[in-house]
Amino acid sequence: MGVLAHIPAPYRGHEVHRGIYPAQDPADPEQRAWLCVDATTVFYACTTHLAYTSATLALAQCGHLLGTAIPELHRRTRYQPTMVSGDLNLRHGGSPDVRSCVPADYLHRHDGGVQQFMATADVTIRSSRSIGMAGTTDHSGFLVTLTIAGTPDRQSHQNAQVGASMRRSA
């Protein structure tokens, strides 16, 4: 899994926050985890790759990330605009539907497949698009261009970009 984020100048440092989901598939050799980069005083950019073996398990992991881990991060450190992007192995309109774990006050975009992007309401999504990965993964990458309210990026009309490309395990 991966995430790309531009941290506006002047660079003020960053921290990494991460965790392992409490719900795991014992038959899957990979432990599913989440990771957030704290671009100090600007934003959190988070990524994950949820379970592919069970949509119910993926939904539980999604609920943990958005309902427990990120709110706890906001309480423990500070609130900042927050973005989550990754292969959630859940679909918009699927069963279960990915929207059932997206907080009501979050923005949400998807690539028509399993890649999802969510952000707090203080983020403005400028565009989103799939990017071909030339067969290196089982699906396209997903690029979202955005602006965060009150950052130097917004004042200079430069955009932050957050993207994710995940390889699903077989």
Side-chain angles (χ1 to χ4, degrees):
M1 76 180 140
V3 66
L4 168 70
H6 167 76
I7 300 173
Y11 176 69
R12 294 181 183 99
H14 72 280
E15 293 181 42
V16 175
H17 305 274
R18 63 192 174 278
I20 302 293
Y21 293 109
Q24 298 284 334
D25 180 351
D28 184 355
E30 296 179 20
Q31 278 198 321
R32 301 301 165 156
W34 59 270
L35 175 122
C36 293
V37 174
D38 174 357
T40 308
T41 73
V42 183
F43 60 80
Y44 295 107
C46 304
T47 190
T48 192
H49 186 184
L50 301 182
Y52 71 94
T53 57
S54 162
T56 302
L57 182 56
L59 185 64
Q61 291 171 344
C62 184
H64 177 82
L65 176 61
L66 292 160
T68 302
I70 289 175
E72 177 60 28
L73 180 63
H74 289 163
R75 279 190 296 276
R76 195 174 65 245
T77 57
R78 72 196 151 289
Y79 174 84
Q80 295 183 124
T82 303
M83 295 140 286
V84 177
S85 184
D87 180 342
L88 301 192
N89 283 310
L90 295 166
R91 294 180 184 276
H92 183 273
S95 180
D97 193 313
V98 67
R99 293 174 289 185
S100 64
C101 78
V102 178
D105 57 342
Y106 271 52
L107 306 171
H108 176 229
R109 297 289 186 278
H110 58 91
D111 69 348
V114 296
Q115 298 219 78
Q116 309 292 328
F117 174 85
M118 293 150 277
T120 52
D122 40 10
V123 171
T124 301
I125 298 172
R126 300 292 180 198
S127 66
S128 62
R129 66 184 175 102
S130 292
I131 299 174
M133 300 299 289
T136 59
T137 71
D138 61 341
H139 51 74
S140 297
F142 189 46
L143 178 69
V144 177
T145 303
L146 52 94
T147 303
I148 300 168
T151 65
D153 271 5
R154 183 169 193 179
Q155 295 159 1
S156 66
H157 302 290
Q158 297 173 352
N159 293 322
Q161 292 185 332
V162 177
S165 174
M166 273 31 95
R167 171 171 262 152
R168 186 180 323 165
S169 299

